[in-house]
């Protein structure tokens, strides 16, 4: 699933290509909106909200899209060859006189009134790259369930919006704790650094074509995708395991030497939840 910086980049591409322009082409290739025609309408803007994209049109309409694992928005110039995938994967085409935005494999595509956007993004926590960013609220959200493993809490967009699997692993490495450490067991200094470090990582990467979390040449990431290879700090082989409820694969990477805390195993989550129960509300 794309991280918040990837979605921010997609929103910027769409905004630069279409904002302030009247559509000359409108083609929705999903049954629910097959008859929708926005030709002639002006695109006002495209804004990211966590991992969601909101493209707004005159007349109070918003197109809400979400990329999830496979989706992508591609922007092409006049006459440029489309390279985002085969034609049957196209879900929407929005064209202006000098640019064409093509949405491929979009699993979420829906129209709503702009005044009702909170219906689809109101559940999100503070956006790491948004104007609503509030580090204290984000940390309070994370700490509200002290028995929850840190990695799972970071991926929960209701706590803070924008972190995906890559930043989850990299952030835990930089904090020196495993993704299975309960949030309530975070050392005080780690808790203080958590939200600031997360924001810094996404901010420095939102304009980069290649995501980097290290300062090492030719080594972009500390642990993500480096299973069984030497840790860049200590040389210990990096480990990988799935984390979550099993509903989807969440490969999680960590260094067993550099990161303190529990490792995955039978009953790990339950044991630590009993030690750090969620307080009543």
């Amino acid at each position: 699933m794309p991280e918040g910086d990837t979605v921010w980049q997609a929103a910027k591409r769409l905004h630069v290509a279409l904002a302030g322009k009247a559509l000359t082409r409108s083609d929705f290739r999903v049954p629910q909106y097959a008859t929708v025609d926005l030709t002639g309408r002006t695109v006002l803007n495209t804004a990211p909200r966590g991992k969601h994209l909101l493209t707004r049109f005159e007349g109070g309409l918003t197109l809400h899209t979400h990329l999830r694992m496979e989706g992508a928005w591609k922007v092409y110039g006049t006459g440029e060859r489309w390279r985002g995938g085969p034609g049957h994967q196209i879900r929407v085409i929005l064209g202006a006189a000098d640019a064409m935005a093509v949405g491929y494999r979009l699993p979420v595509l829906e129209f709503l009134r702009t005044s009702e956007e909170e219906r689809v993004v109101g559940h999100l926590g503070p956006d790491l790259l948004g104007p609503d960013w509030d580090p204290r609220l984000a940390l309070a959200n994370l700490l509200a369930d002290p028995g929850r493993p840190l990695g799972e809490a970071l991926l929960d967009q209701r706590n803070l919006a924008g972190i995906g699997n890559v930043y989850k692993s990299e952030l835990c490495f930089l904090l020196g704790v495993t993704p299975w450490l309960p949030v309530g067991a975070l050392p005080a200094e780690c808790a203080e650094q958590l939200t600031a470090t997360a924001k810094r990582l996404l901010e420095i990467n939102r304009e980069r074509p290649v995501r980097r979390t290290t300062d090492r040449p030719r080594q972009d990431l500390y642990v993500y995708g480096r299973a069984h290879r030497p840790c860049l700090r200590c040389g210990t082989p990096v480990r990988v395991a799935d984390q979550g409820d099993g509903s989807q694969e969440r490969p999680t990477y960590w260094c067993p030497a550099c990161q303190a805390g529990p490792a995955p195993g039978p009953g790990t989550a339950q044991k630590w939840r009993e030690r750090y129960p969620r307080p009543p509300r």
Side-chain angles (χ1 to χ4, degrees):
M1 183 178 293
E3 317 272 324
D5 54 352
T6 302
V7 176
W8 188 92
Q9 292 171 4
K12 182 179 179 180
R13 288 195 300 271
L14 289 172
H15 184 81
V16 170
L18 299 177
K21 301 174 184 178
L23 292 180
T24 58
R25 182 175 179 181
S26 166
D27 184 359
F28 290 86
R29 301 182 181 181
V30 292
Q32 186 177 1
Y33 301 117
T35 61
V36 171
D37 186 2
L38 300 181
T39 303
R41 290 205 188 218
T42 297
V43 180
L44 301 181
N45 57 63
T46 295
R49 179 70 174 86
K51 299 182 181 182
H52 299 252
L53 287 161
L54 302 169
T55 300
R56 303 174 180 121
F57 306 88
E58 65 174 342
L61 284 179
T62 293
L63 175 63
H64 167 229
T65 57
H66 195 297
L67 306 180
R68 290 190 180 167
M69 295 299 293
E70 302 294 334
W73 275 103
K74 302 291 185 179
V75 173
Y76 304 106
T78 303
E80 185 178 357
R81 178 173 172 267
W82 297 4
R83 302 176 303 279
H88 71 267
Q89 294 182 349
I90 295 174
R91 300 292 176 263
V92 58
I93 302 169
L94 300 175
D98 59 349
M100 202 72 66
V102 185
Y104 291 88
R105 302 171 298 279
L106 298 173
V108 176
L109 188 157
E110 63 176 325
F111 274 107
L112 63 154
R113 303 299 303 180
T114 302
S115 59
E116 298 175 351
E117 288 179 356
E118 283 298 293
R119 177 170 63 82
V120 294
V121 296
H123 66 288
L124 298 175
D127 186 343
L128 283 153
L129 295 178
D132 68 318
W133 174 242
D134 183 337
R136 292 188 178 184
L137 177 57
L139 183 58
N141 291 343
L142 291 166
L143 294 174
D145 188 355
R148 193 175 192 185
L150 177 59
E152 292 183 23
L154 290 171
L155 287 181
D156 190 336
Q157 303 299 294
R158 296 170 297 180
N159 291 331
L160 70 172
I163 291 181
N165 229 30
V166 178
Y167 283 121
K168 173 192 75 173
S169 296
E170 293 298 293
L171 183 58
C172 288
F173 178 83
L174 291 170
L175 293 175
V177 298
T178 72
W180 288 270
L181 183 76
V183 177
L186 266 175
E189 63 272 17
C190 289
E192 293 175 0
Q193 297 170 11
L194 195 158
T195 55
T197 303
K199 183 171 179 60
R200 177 176 60 83
L201 289 178
L202 267 73
E203 281 194 331
I204 63 177
N205 281 295
R206 64 182 178 183
E207 299 280 6
R208 289 176 174 174
V210 177
R211 183 181 295 124
R212 289 182 58 86
T213 61
T214 81
D215 57 0
R216 298 167 182 255
R218 297 182 298 280
Q219 299 287 356
D220 297 324
L221 303 174
Y222 279 109
V223 290
Y224 189 84
R226 291 182 52 82
H228 314 304
R229 296 168 64 187
C231 170
L232 296 180
R233 283 184 176 168
C234 73
T236 301
V238 171
R239 296 181 63 186
V240 62
D242 284 337
Q243 182 177 35
D245 58 9
S247 61
Q248 54 184 315
E249 293 184 1
R250 296 287 195 187
T252 301
Y253 301 82
W254 81 104
C255 172
C258 292
Q259 295 172 249
T268 298
Q270 181 60 33
K271 179 183 73 173
W272 287 91
R273 279 189 177 278
E274 291 173 356
R275 187 166 177 178
Y276 294 92
R278 182 168 187 157
R281 291 186 173 181

